[in-house]
Amino acid sequence: MARLSMSAICVLIFIGDIAKGDNNFLTGANDIIAVVDEDGDIKASPFNVQFGKKDIWLPRSGHVVSIEVNEQFVPIGMVLDDEGQAFFDGSSNRQYRFWSALLGLGNPSPIVRTNSATSSQLSRLGLQMGPNPIMYRVTTSSGSIVTTSAVIHLMNNTAKLVISDIDGTVTKSNIQGMLLPALGLSDWKHNGVVELYRKIANQGYQIVYLTNRAIGQSDMTREYIYSLAETPYEMPRGPVLLQVESLLGAFQTEVIKGQPEVNKIAALSRVKG
């Protein structure tokens, strides 16, 4: 069998991505809401994490994702599909195989494919009440290491939640609030919103931030929310939930179709489930 040059392989990858409509370029992860009941069992919202083509140019399906919680590696992992989204698939000792990934054979098994952790898996994460930093790490076959981070917020089942939209609620406009922070114009917020949210949090409520921004914008969105301040008030910390789709897909839903509520309702349904 003739050896292919690196340029020929890159062309094959590009053609394959165009054919699949794969435009997940950015890497990011949603925060996770975990709830412990009276018996000590833990349930959690999905572990939504995506590794984009900007960071992993090789075919992504089959790449193994290791997990670190509170700066400690944990004995569970995930695997990427061909769009760079991570899933638990029940496999052990999985290895990345380039040609299988290129031909679309490296995806997690559809039978056991899920991004929801079981109570048993959650019990092995060493979670503590409150925020628990989580890091997802992929070591590619080329030797590069790609990471993305989020936070697991562990709370008891009597916690009181206030769910707030970001776009048009914290920010002054859905579209401009979505775009201007990316340009460094981070003060596009309603006056008094930081004081209001801080006073809500001080009453014992946990704020959950919801947005139609793509999951690849997770780091930027958290930094934006937590950078907001109105002396002496700072924005309260809380789970940040973004849409599990590409930047182009999120922009199309928000701006072109004008139906951001569709994705937001779906996101809340996943949390409730």
Side-chain angles (χ1 to χ4, degrees):
M1 180 176 177
R3 295 176 64 88
L4 294 177
S5 67
M6 183 59 69
S7 59
I9 291 175
C10 290
V11 170
L12 286 174
I13 295 171
F14 178 76
I15 292 174
D17 287 346
I18 293 297
K20 293 183 296 184
D22 177 12
N23 53 18
N24 291 334
F25 293 100
L26 302 179
T27 296
N30 266 346
D31 289 338
I32 299 161
I33 300 173
V35 178
V36 59
D37 64 19
E38 297 88 347
D39 299 323
D41 293 328
I42 304 174
K43 295 183 179 179
S45 58
F47 283 59
N48 293 129
V49 55
Q50 172 183 290
F51 286 81
K53 289 188 290 188
K54 179 181 73 68
D55 297 304
I56 303 178
W57 64 270
L58 294 166
R60 286 161 292 172
S61 64
H63 275 103
V64 175
V65 184
S66 59
I67 298 176
E68 185 179 319
V69 177
N70 292 321
E71 300 184 347
Q72 299 291 325
F73 281 103
V74 296
I76 64 172
M78 307 178 80
V79 63
L80 299 185
D81 68 4
D82 54 7
E83 293 186 349
Q85 295 182 8
F87 294 89
F88 302 104
D89 74 340
S91 300
S92 60
N93 299 320
R94 176 185 282 270
Q95 292 183 339
Y96 175 76
R97 302 183 186 281
F98 172 80
W99 288 107
S100 295
L102 184 63
L103 297 174
L105 303 176
N107 280 340
S109 169
I111 299 176
V112 294
R113 168 175 168 153
T114 178
N115 56 15
S116 295
T118 65
S119 293
S120 174
Q121 289 172 321
L122 291 168
S123 68
R124 300 164 71 185
L125 300 183
L127 298 177
Q128 304 170 6
M129 295 301 293
N132 298 261
I134 179 171
M135 176 180 290
Y136 304 92
R137 181 190 307 265
V138 170
T139 301
T140 71
S141 60
S142 64
S144 62
I145 296 176
V146 184
T147 64
T148 188
S149 300
V151 177
I152 303 175
H153 294 264
L154 181 63
M155 57 193 75
N156 61 47
N157 59 1
T158 60
K160 300 177 292 184
L161 305 183
V162 172
I163 298 172
S164 171
D165 196 357
I166 294 176
D167 313 304
T169 303
V170 175
T171 64
K172 295 177 182 177
S173 162
N174 283 16
I175 299 173
Q176 290 169 308
M178 193 174 183
L179 296 179
L180 291 181
L183 303 177
L185 304 176
S186 60
D187 197 29
W188 191 256
K189 63 173 178 59
H190 289 292
N191 292 329
V193 71
V194 178
E195 179 180 359
L196 172 63
Y197 279 46
R198 173 50 63 184
K199 288 183 176 179
I200 292 174
N202 289 346
Q203 293 297 314
Y205 292 91
Q206 173 66 66
I207 306 291
V208 178
Y209 300 99
L210 184 65
T211 177
N212 200 52
R213 304 177 193 195
I215 194 169
Q217 297 175 284
S218 58
D219 287 343
M220 181 191 73
T221 301
R222 288 189 198 93
E223 290 172 3
Y224 168 69
I225 288 295
Y226 298 150
S227 71
L228 300 179
E230 295 168 351
T231 305
Y233 303 103
E234 295 181 349
M235 208 66 162
R237 303 264 169 157
V240 179
L241 305 179
L242 301 94
Q243 299 311 314
V244 188
E245 60 180 353
S246 69
L247 180 61
L248 295 177
F251 185 80
Q252 181 183 39
T253 302
E254 180 79 33
V255 179
I256 299 176
K257 294 182 179 179
Q259 297 177 323
E261 70 280 357
V262 173
N263 281 346
K264 293 172 182 176
I265 291 172
L268 291 179
S269 297
R270 289 192 292 270
V271 172
K272 182 180 178 181

Short mmCIF file of all heavy atoms in Angstrom, two decimals, residues 41-82:
data_model
loop_
_atom_site.label_atom_id
_atom_site.label_comp_id
_atom_site.label_asym_id
_atom_site.label_seq_id
_atom_site.Cartn_x
_atom_site.Cartn_y
_atom_site.Cartn_z
N ASP A 41 -26.66 9.52 47.62
CA ASP A 41 -26.52 9.28 46.18
C ASP A 41 -26.44 10.60 45.43
O ASP A 41 -27.13 11.57 45.78
CB ASP A 41 -27.70 8.45 45.66
CG ASP A 41 -27.71 7.04 46.22
OD1 ASP A 41 -26.62 6.50 46.47
OD2 ASP A 41 -28.81 6.48 46.40
N ILE A 42 -25.61 10.62 44.39
CA ILE A 42 -25.39 11.84 43.62
C ILE A 42 -25.93 11.67 42.21
O ILE A 42 -25.70 10.64 41.56
CB ILE A 42 -23.90 12.21 43.57
CG1 ILE A 42 -23.31 12.33 44.97
CG2 ILE A 42 -23.69 13.51 42.80
CD1 ILE A 42 -21.81 12.56 45.00
N LYS A 43 -26.64 12.66 41.73
CA LYS A 43 -27.05 12.74 40.34
C LYS A 43 -26.53 14.06 39.78
O LYS A 43 -26.36 15.03 40.52
CB LYS A 43 -28.57 12.66 40.20
CG LYS A 43 -29.15 11.32 40.63
CD LYS A 43 -30.65 11.26 40.40
CE LYS A 43 -31.21 9.91 40.80
NZ LYS A 43 -32.68 9.83 40.60
N ALA A 44 -26.28 14.09 38.47
CA ALA A 44 -25.65 15.29 37.89
C ALA A 44 -26.18 15.55 36.49
O ALA A 44 -26.66 14.64 35.79
CB ALA A 44 -24.13 15.13 37.86
N SER A 45 -26.09 16.80 36.08
CA SER A 45 -26.39 17.17 34.70
C SER A 45 -25.31 16.60 33.78
O SER A 45 -24.26 16.16 34.24
CB SER A 45 -26.46 18.70 34.58
OG SER A 45 -25.24 19.30 34.99
N PRO A 46 -25.54 16.59 32.47
CA PRO A 46 -24.58 15.96 31.54
C PRO A 46 -23.19 16.58 31.60
O PRO A 46 -23.03 17.78 31.86
CB PRO A 46 -25.23 16.18 30.17
CG PRO A 46 -26.69 16.29 30.46
CD PRO A 46 -26.78 17.00 31.77
N PHE A 47 -22.18 15.75 31.33
CA PHE A 47 -20.80 16.20 31.20
C PHE A 47 -20.58 16.61 29.74
O PHE A 47 -20.04 15.86 28.95
CB PHE A 47 -19.85 15.07 31.58
CG PHE A 47 -19.71 14.84 33.07
CD1 PHE A 47 -20.82 14.52 33.85
CD2 PHE A 47 -18.46 14.91 33.69
CE1 PHE A 47 -20.70 14.30 35.21
CE2 PHE A 47 -18.33 14.69 35.06
CZ PHE A 47 -19.45 14.38 35.82
N ASN A 48 -21.03 17.81 29.41
CA ASN A 48 -20.91 18.30 28.04
C ASN A 48 -19.53 18.92 27.83
O ASN A 48 -19.19 19.94 28.44
CB ASN A 48 -21.99 19.34 27.74
CG ASN A 48 -23.39 18.76 27.71
OD1 ASN A 48 -24.29 19.27 28.36
ND2 ASN A 48 -23.58 17.69 26.95
N VAL A 49 -18.72 18.31 26.98
CA VAL A 49 -17.38 18.81 26.68
C VAL A 49 -17.09 18.56 25.21
O VAL A 49 -17.47 17.52 24.66
CB VAL A 49 -16.31 18.17 27.59
CG1 VAL A 49 -16.36 16.65 27.49
CG2 VAL A 49 -14.93 18.68 27.28
N GLN A 50 -16.44 19.52 24.59
CA GLN A 50 -16.13 19.44 23.16
C GLN A 50 -14.69 19.87 22.91
O GLN A 50 -14.24 20.88 23.45
CB GLN A 50 -17.08 20.36 22.38
CG GLN A 50 -16.75 20.52 20.91
CD GLN A 50 -17.69 21.50 20.25
OE1 GLN A 50 -18.87 21.23 20.06
NE2 GLN A 50 -17.18 22.69 19.93
N PHE A 51 -13.97 19.09 22.11
CA PHE A 51 -12.63 19.45 21.67
C PHE A 51 -12.70 19.80 20.18
O PHE A 51 -13.09 18.98 19.36
CB PHE A 51 -11.64 18.30 21.91
CG PHE A 51 -11.27 18.14 23.36
CD1 PHE A 51 -12.10 17.45 24.23
CD2 PHE A 51 -10.10 18.70 23.85
CE1 PHE A 51 -11.77 17.30 25.57
CE2 PHE A 51 -9.76 18.56 25.20
CZ PHE A 51 -10.59 17.87 26.05
N GLY A 52 -12.33 21.05 19.86
CA GLY A 52 -12.50 21.55 18.50
C GLY A 52 -11.31 21.30 17.60
O GLY A 52 -10.20 20.97 18.03
N LYS A 53 -11.56 21.49 16.30
CA LYS A 53 -10.52 21.26 15.29
C LYS A 53 -9.37 22.25 15.42
O LYS A 53 -8.26 21.97 14.95
CB LYS A 53 -11.14 21.35 13.89
CG LYS A 53 -12.03 20.17 13.56
CD LYS A 53 -12.47 20.19 12.11
CE LYS A 53 -13.42 21.31 11.82
NZ LYS A 53 -13.98 21.21 10.47
N LYS A 54 -9.61 23.40 16.04
CA LYS A 54 -8.53 24.36 16.24
C LYS A 54 -7.42 23.76 17.10
O LYS A 54 -6.25 24.07 16.91
CB LYS A 54 -9.09 25.62 16.91
CG LYS A 54 -8.03 26.69 17.21
CD LYS A 54 -8.64 27.89 17.87
CE LYS A 54 -9.01 27.63 19.29
NZ LYS A 54 -7.83 27.42 20.18
N ASP A 55 -7.81 22.87 18.03
CA ASP A 55 -6.85 22.29 18.96
C ASP A 55 -6.43 20.88 18.59
O ASP A 55 -5.33 20.44 18.92
CB ASP A 55 -7.43 22.30 20.37
CG ASP A 55 -7.69 23.71 20.87
OD1 ASP A 55 -6.73 24.52 20.87
OD2 ASP A 55 -8.82 24.02 21.25
N ILE A 56 -7.32 20.13 17.94
CA ILE A 56 -7.00 18.76 17.51
C ILE A 56 -7.32 18.67 16.02
O ILE A 56 -8.48 18.51 15.63
CB ILE A 56 -7.80 17.70 18.29
CG1 ILE A 56 -7.54 17.84 19.79
CG2 ILE A 56 -7.42 16.29 17.82
CD1 ILE A 56 -8.35 16.86 20.64
N TRP A 57 -6.31 18.80 15.18
CA TRP A 57 -6.55 18.81 13.74
C TRP A 57 -6.70 17.39 13.18
O TRP A 57 -7.26 17.19 12.11
CB TRP A 57 -5.41 19.53 13.01
CG TRP A 57 -4.07 18.85 13.13
CD1 TRP A 57 -3.13 19.07 14.09
CD2 TRP A 57 -3.53 17.86 12.27
NE1 TRP A 57 -2.04 18.28 13.90
CE2 TRP A 57 -2.24 17.51 12.78
CE3 TRP A 57 -3.99 17.20 11.12
CZ2 TRP A 57 -1.44 16.56 12.18
CZ3 TRP A 57 -3.17 16.25 10.51
CH2 TRP A 57 -1.90 15.94 11.04
N LEU A 58 -6.21 16.38 13.92
CA LEU A 58 -6.40 14.99 13.51
C LEU A 58 -7.88 14.61 13.63
O LEU A 58 -8.63 15.27 14.35
CB LEU A 58 -5.57 14.07 14.41
CG LEU A 58 -4.04 14.19 14.31
CD1 LEU A 58 -3.40 13.47 15.50
CD2 LEU A 58 -3.55 13.58 13.01
N PRO A 59 -8.32 13.57 12.93
CA PRO A 59 -9.68 13.07 13.19
C PRO A 59 -9.84 12.78 14.67
O PRO A 59 -9.00 12.12 15.28
CB PRO A 59 -9.74 11.78 12.34
CG PRO A 59 -8.74 12.00 11.25
CD PRO A 59 -7.63 12.79 11.88
N ARG A 60 -10.91 13.26 15.25
CA ARG A 60 -11.00 13.26 16.71
C ARG A 60 -11.63 12.00 17.30
O ARG A 60 -11.43 11.70 18.48
CB ARG A 60 -11.77 14.50 17.16
CG ARG A 60 -10.96 15.78 17.04
CD ARG A 60 -11.84 17.00 17.04
NE ARG A 60 -12.64 17.07 15.82
CZ ARG A 60 -13.62 17.94 15.60
NH1 ARG A 60 -13.94 18.80 16.54
NH2 ARG A 60 -14.29 17.94 14.46
N SER A 61 -12.41 11.27 16.54
CA SER A 61 -13.10 10.12 17.12
C SER A 61 -12.12 9.08 17.64
O SER A 61 -11.14 8.74 16.98
CB SER A 61 -14.04 9.48 16.08
OG SER A 61 -13.31 8.97 15.00
N GLY A 62 -12.36 8.62 18.84
CA GLY A 62 -11.49 7.62 19.46
C GLY A 62 -10.44 8.19 20.38
O GLY A 62 -9.81 7.43 21.13
N HIS A 63 -10.22 9.51 20.37
CA HIS A 63 -9.27 10.09 21.32
C HIS A 63 -9.81 9.91 22.75
O HIS A 63 -10.99 10.15 23.02
CB HIS A 63 -9.06 11.58 21.04
CG HIS A 63 -8.02 11.87 20.01
ND1 HIS A 63 -8.33 12.23 18.73
CD2 HIS A 63 -6.66 11.84 20.08
CE1 HIS A 63 -7.21 12.43 18.04
NE2 HIS A 63 -6.18 12.19 18.84
N VAL A 64 -8.94 9.51 23.65
CA VAL A 64 -9.33 9.27 25.03
C VAL A 64 -9.22 10.56 25.84
O VAL A 64 -8.25 11.31 25.71
CB VAL A 64 -8.44 8.18 25.67
CG1 VAL A 64 -8.76 7.99 27.15
CG2 VAL A 64 -8.62 6.86 24.91
N VAL A 65 -10.23 10.81 26.67
CA VAL A 65 -10.27 12.00 27.52
C VAL A 65 -10.08 11.56 28.97
O VAL A 65 -10.90 10.82 29.53
CB VAL A 65 -11.62 12.74 27.39
CG1 VAL A 65 -11.60 14.02 28.22
CG2 VAL A 65 -11.94 13.04 25.93
N SER A 66 -8.98 11.98 29.57
CA SER A 66 -8.79 11.72 31.00
C SER A 66 -9.36 12.90 31.80
O SER A 66 -9.48 14.01 31.28
CB SER A 66 -7.30 11.52 31.33
OG SER A 66 -6.55 12.67 30.98
N ILE A 67 -9.72 12.64 33.04
CA ILE A 67 -10.43 13.62 33.85
C ILE A 67 -9.70 13.84 35.17
O ILE A 67 -9.26 12.89 35.83
CB ILE A 67 -11.88 13.17 34.12
CG1 ILE A 67 -12.65 13.04 32.80
CG2 ILE A 67 -12.59 14.14 35.06
CD1 ILE A 67 -14.06 12.51 32.97
N GLU A 68 -9.60 15.10 35.54
CA GLU A 68 -8.98 15.50 36.80
C GLU A 68 -9.98 16.36 37.57
O GLU A 68 -10.53 17.32 37.02
CB GLU A 68 -7.70 16.30 36.49
CG GLU A 68 -6.86 16.69 37.66
CD GLU A 68 -5.61 17.45 37.23
OE1 GLU A 68 -5.00 17.05 36.22
OE2 GLU A 68 -5.27 18.45 37.89
N VAL A 69 -10.25 15.99 38.82
CA VAL A 69 -11.18 16.74 39.66
C VAL A 69 -10.45 17.19 40.92
O VAL A 69 -9.78 16.38 41.57
CB VAL A 69 -12.41 15.88 40.03
CG1 VAL A 69 -13.33 16.65 40.98
CG2 VAL A 69 -13.18 15.47 38.78
N ASN A 70 -10.57 18.46 41.23
CA ASN A 70 -9.85 19.03 42.40
C ASN A 70 -8.36 18.69 42.34
O ASN A 70 -7.74 18.31 43.35
CB ASN A 70 -10.47 18.52 43.71
CG ASN A 70 -11.87 19.08 43.94
OD1 ASN A 70 -12.14 20.24 43.66
ND2 ASN A 70 -12.76 18.24 44.44
N GLU A 71 -7.79 18.80 41.12
CA GLU A 71 -6.37 18.59 40.86
C GLU A 71 -5.93 17.15 41.11
O GLU A 71 -4.74 16.89 41.30
CB GLU A 71 -5.52 19.56 41.68
CG GLU A 71 -5.83 21.02 41.38
CD GLU A 71 -4.92 21.98 42.11
OE1 GLU A 71 -4.21 21.54 43.05
OE2 GLU A 71 -4.89 23.17 41.75
N GLN A 72 -6.87 16.20 41.08
CA GLN A 72 -6.54 14.78 41.24
C GLN A 72 -7.14 14.00 40.08
O GLN A 72 -8.32 14.17 39.76
CB GLN A 72 -7.10 14.24 42.56
CG GLN A 72 -6.56 14.92 43.81
CD GLN A 72 -5.09 14.63 44.06
OE1 GLN A 72 -4.60 13.53 43.78
NE2 GLN A 72 -4.36 15.61 44.58
N PHE A 73 -6.33 13.14 39.44
CA PHE A 73 -6.87 12.29 38.39
C PHE A 73 -7.87 11.31 38.99
O PHE A 73 -7.66 10.78 40.09
CB PHE A 73 -5.75 11.54 37.67
CG PHE A 73 -5.01 12.38 36.67
CD1 PHE A 73 -3.75 12.89 36.97
CD2 PHE A 73 -5.57 12.68 35.44
CE1 PHE A 73 -3.06 13.68 36.06
CE2 PHE A 73 -4.90 13.47 34.52
CZ PHE A 73 -3.65 13.97 34.82
N VAL A 74 -8.96 11.07 38.27
CA VAL A 74 -10.01 10.17 38.75
C VAL A 74 -10.08 8.95 37.84
O VAL A 74 -9.68 9.00 36.68
CB VAL A 74 -11.36 10.90 38.81
CG1 VAL A 74 -11.32 12.02 39.82
CG2 VAL A 74 -11.76 11.43 37.43
N PRO A 75 -10.58 7.81 38.36
CA PRO A 75 -10.52 6.55 37.61
C PRO A 75 -11.65 6.36 36.61
O PRO A 75 -12.08 5.23 36.37
CB PRO A 75 -10.60 5.50 38.73
CG PRO A 75 -11.42 6.16 39.79
CD PRO A 75 -11.05 7.62 39.74
N ILE A 76 -12.14 7.43 36.04
CA ILE A 76 -13.11 7.30 34.95
C ILE A 76 -12.65 8.22 33.82
O ILE A 76 -11.93 9.20 34.06
CB ILE A 76 -14.54 7.66 35.39
CG1 ILE A 76 -14.63 9.13 35.81
CG2 ILE A 76 -15.01 6.75 36.51
CD1 ILE A 76 -16.06 9.58 36.06
N GLY A 77 -13.04 7.90 32.60
CA GLY A 77 -12.64 8.70 31.45
C GLY A 77 -13.74 8.73 30.42
O GLY A 77 -14.80 8.12 30.58
N MET A 78 -13.48 9.44 29.34
CA MET A 78 -14.44 9.58 28.25
C MET A 78 -13.71 9.36 26.93
O MET A 78 -12.49 9.18 26.90
CB MET A 78 -15.10 10.97 28.29
CG MET A 78 -15.71 11.32 29.64
SD MET A 78 -16.45 12.99 29.72
CE MET A 78 -18.03 12.69 28.92
N VAL A 79 -14.46 9.37 25.84
CA VAL A 79 -13.87 9.21 24.52
C VAL A 79 -14.57 10.16 23.56
O VAL A 79 -15.77 10.45 23.72
CB VAL A 79 -13.98 7.73 24.04
CG1 VAL A 79 -15.42 7.30 23.90
CG2 VAL A 79 -13.22 7.52 22.74
N LEU A 80 -13.83 10.68 22.59
CA LEU A 80 -14.40 11.65 21.64
C LEU A 80 -15.06 10.94 20.46
O LEU A 80 -14.61 9.89 20.02
CB LEU A 80 -13.31 12.58 21.11
CG LEU A 80 -12.57 13.46 22.12
CD1 LEU A 80 -11.62 14.41 21.39
CD2 LEU A 80 -13.54 14.26 22.98
N ASP A 81 -16.12 11.58 19.93
CA ASP A 81 -16.69 11.12 18.68
C ASP A 81 -16.10 11.95 17.54
O ASP A 81 -15.17 12.75 17.74
CB ASP A 81 -18.22 11.19 18.70
CG ASP A 81 -18.76 12.62 18.74
OD1 ASP A 81 -17.97 13.59 18.66
OD2 ASP A 81 -19.99 12.77 18.85
N ASP A 82 -16.61 11.77 16.33
CA ASP A 82 -15.99 12.43 15.18
C ASP A 82 -16.25 13.92 15.13
O ASP A 82 -15.65 14.63 14.32
CB ASP A 82 -16.42 11.76 13.86
CG ASP A 82 -17.93 11.68 13.71
OD1 ASP A 82 -18.66 12.24 14.57
OD2 ASP A 82 -18.39 11.06 12.74
#
